[in-house]
Amino acid sequence: MFKWIIRNLSTFLLAFFLAVTVWIMAVIAADPDETRNYPRNLTLEVTGQDPRLIITNDLPRQVNLSLRAPQSVWDVLATETQVRAIIDLAGLGAGTHRLPIQLQIGLSPVRVVSLVPEEVDVTLEALGSRSLPIDVLVTGQPAIGYQAGKVEASQQEVNISGPESLIARAVKAQAEIKIEGGRATIGLDAPIKILDEDGNVLNGIIPNIEKVFVQVSITQQGGYRDIAVKVVVRGQPANGYRLTNISVTPPAITVYSGDPNLVAALPGFVETEPLNLNGASRDIELSLSLNLPAGISVVGEQTVLVEVGIEALQGSLSLANMPVTVVGLSSGLGAQIAPETVDIILTGPLPLLEKLTANDIRITLDLTDMGIGSYQVAPLVEILIANIDVQSIFPGAVEVVISVGGIPTP
């Protein structure tokens, strides 16, 4: 028996090899391998970093990965996060290091076809920290007649951290506040910038607070005062028109006098020269002078811009028994219409309605391409004066009977 097994061993091995081959081919045919790019965003992760060190160079945010795996594995890779890309900084000190990207794949069988990049350079630097005084920079000037006063910040110092090389260059923490044109105390949260001795912003330094509340007091100087502008109106718009609005720019002005008592005695407003609206039938835009008491002057422009809105009053007009005209009737045909007149109601500006005459209105029935038969046709109203609308027409449809040689229509 043993000898028989020895004589037939090669046959047994060949049969086993063939069986395994057939099985593998059957598995591959049912679940073929495919080479694809990894379908999900693969973010580069950093592990093992010493908390006393900081990365000072830019690392790739993502890596590109191509894998070869059976189709059933790809189905899982497309729906679940099964792959991680890692660089391990454990045990590394300050300096620049070239490190391989390590892949962790939670499925098998999977083979890596390509990984870009395969290695990355990492620069580590010791982490430093210190405190810096906060310097408030006030830019711009308040409005004429006002002056800036005390500057206050909610904090006087800021703690910064970052690479020691940058921390050594930092000389100032600056918060800027703009007061251009200010007429009252200004307070806001100002962003903090870390500067070197040349005034350049140092990026890569992390302050413990990003903003500081800064307040600058702004007060009016003696002899100056802000007062409103009152437009003096005379007359009325033309008949059939109405006043819709009056606006003045600027709505308030700054006045000055060498005698503060004169300014204090003002009633809180100053009047313009009279604005004449007699017979006005359209919008008005003009500059008006100001009536100021003796000894008082205006700071800046000596006139104000006044804009007046004027529009026509809206009304309606009812017209009865307006004749209807047939147009577009084919040659050889006649048409009978009933009724031969309609009533209409028009709306629009009263001045236009008052000028309207019968010659300005045309009411038609368009019978183009209509053959013999009975129809209901909506009248068309044409108004020769613009901005007048048809509110309603009665009846809304006219009966039209078209026949051969019918009764001619006027």
Side-chain angles (χ1 to χ4, degrees):
M1 183 67 179
F2 179 73
K3 292 180 179 180
W4 180 84
I5 292 175
I6 294 300
R7 286 197 305 268
N8 294 281
L9 180 60
S10 60
T11 302
F12 292 152
L13 293 175
L14 178 60
F16 176 77
F17 175 75
L18 291 174
V20 172
T21 301
V22 170
W23 177 77
I24 292 175
M25 292 179 65
V27 171
I28 293 175
D31 192 9
D33 281 359
E34 296 181 4
T35 299
R36 304 183 197 173
N37 291 327
Y38 184 61
R40 304 173 69 87
N41 292 332
L42 189 56
T43 303
L44 185 61
E45 303 177 36
V46 177
T47 63
Q49 182 178 347
D50 189 328
R52 296 169 297 178
L53 301 176
I54 187 171
I55 299 174
T56 59
N57 66 317
D58 294 329
L59 298 179
R61 297 177 60 86
Q62 295 182 346
V63 297
N64 297 319
L65 176 63
S66 178
L67 302 173
R68 184 170 181 82
Q71 184 176 356
S72 60
V73 174
W74 278 115
D75 293 340
V76 179
L77 289 174
T79 58
E80 300 180 10
T81 304
Q82 296 286 343
V83 181
R84 298 175 62 195
I86 299 171
I87 54 172
D88 188 3
L89 306 184
L92 298 180
T96 300
H97 311 272
R98 171 155 290 191
L99 302 174
I101 296 179
Q102 304 173 18
L103 293 177
Q104 293 182 357
I105 303 177
L107 293 176
S108 63
V110 176
R111 182 167 62 89
V112 178
V113 176
S114 66
L115 174 63
V116 179
E118 295 182 350
E119 297 179 326
V120 293
D121 290 330
V122 180
T123 300
L124 297 174
E125 190 174 338
L127 184 65
S129 63
R130 57 185 285 210
S131 295
L132 285 176
I134 297 176
D135 177 44
V136 177
L137 175 64
V138 180
T139 60
Q141 294 295 327
I144 297 176
Y146 290 81
Q147 60 185 3
K150 187 176 181 181
V151 179
E152 297 178 314
S154 59
Q155 290 190 222
Q156 306 303 315
E157 288 187 340
V158 60
N159 295 321
I160 60 173
S161 61
E164 283 187 341
S165 59
L166 284 180
I167 296 297
R169 293 170 52 192
V171 297
K172 182 193 302 182
Q174 187 179 85
E176 180 180 355
I177 182 171
K178 299 178 180 180
I179 63 169
E180 187 66 35
R183 294 174 178 270
T185 296
I186 297 176
L188 52 78
D189 290 324
I192 295 176
K193 300 178 182 179
I194 309 302
L195 308 179
D196 63 13
E197 61 181 6
D198 297 323
N200 300 313
V201 177
L202 296 176
N203 297 314
I205 292 181
I206 303 174
N208 67 324
I209 55 171
E210 295 183 353
K211 297 180 179 181
V212 61
F213 183 78
V214 179
Q215 180 172 288
V216 179
S217 63
I218 296 178
T219 56
Q220 198 163 41
Q221 299 176 357
Y224 290 88
R225 183 180 175 188
D226 289 342
I227 56 177
V229 176
K230 179 182 178 181
V231 179
V232 178
V233 178
R234 299 283 189 267
Q236 295 294 328
N239 187 34
Y241 292 85
R242 69 185 182 95
L243 179 66
T244 59
N245 73 285
I246 297 179
S247 64
V248 58
T249 305
I253 59 172
T254 301
V255 295
Y256 170 76
S257 175
D259 183 358
N261 293 326
L262 290 178
V263 174
L266 291 175
F269 65 90
V270 61
E271 294 182 342
T272 66
E273 62 177 316
L275 170 64
N276 186 10
L277 296 183
N278 276 330
S281 60
R282 60 181 179 179
D283 293 343
I284 300 173
E285 181 179 310
L286 76 166
S287 295
L288 293 180
S289 299
L290 300 168
N291 290 326
L292 295 172
I296 294 180
S297 59
V298 178
V299 176
E301 293 291 333
Q302 303 300 301
T303 60
V304 293
L305 177 65
V306 177
E307 296 174 283
V308 181
I310 294 177
E311 66 177 20
L313 295 172
Q314 298 296 305
S316 63
L317 177 64
S318 178
L319 300 174
N321 300 320
M322 299 296 294
V324 178
T325 303
V326 170
V327 297
L329 184 62
S330 299
S331 178
L333 299 179
Q336 283 185 306
I337 63 174
E340 296 182 351
T341 62
V342 296
D343 300 336
I344 60 174
I345 298 177
L346 306 178
T347 59
L350 279 178
L352 296 182
L353 292 176
E354 292 172 353
K355 297 179 181 179
L356 190 68
T357 67
N359 293 330
D360 297 322
I361 305 171
R362 187 184 182 206
I363 305 175
T364 59
L365 295 177
D366 189 357
L367 306 185
T368 302
D369 298 330
M370 290 186 179
I372 297 173
S374 178
Y375 305 90
Q376 294 289 326
V377 181
L380 301 176
V381 181
E382 181 182 5
I383 309 295
L384 301 183
I385 297 179
N387 299 322
I388 294 180
D389 300 316
V390 178
Q391 181 173 339
S392 66
I393 181 169
F394 181 80
V398 173
E399 181 182 61
V400 178
V401 179
I402 301 176
S403 60
V404 177
I407 299 175
T409 301

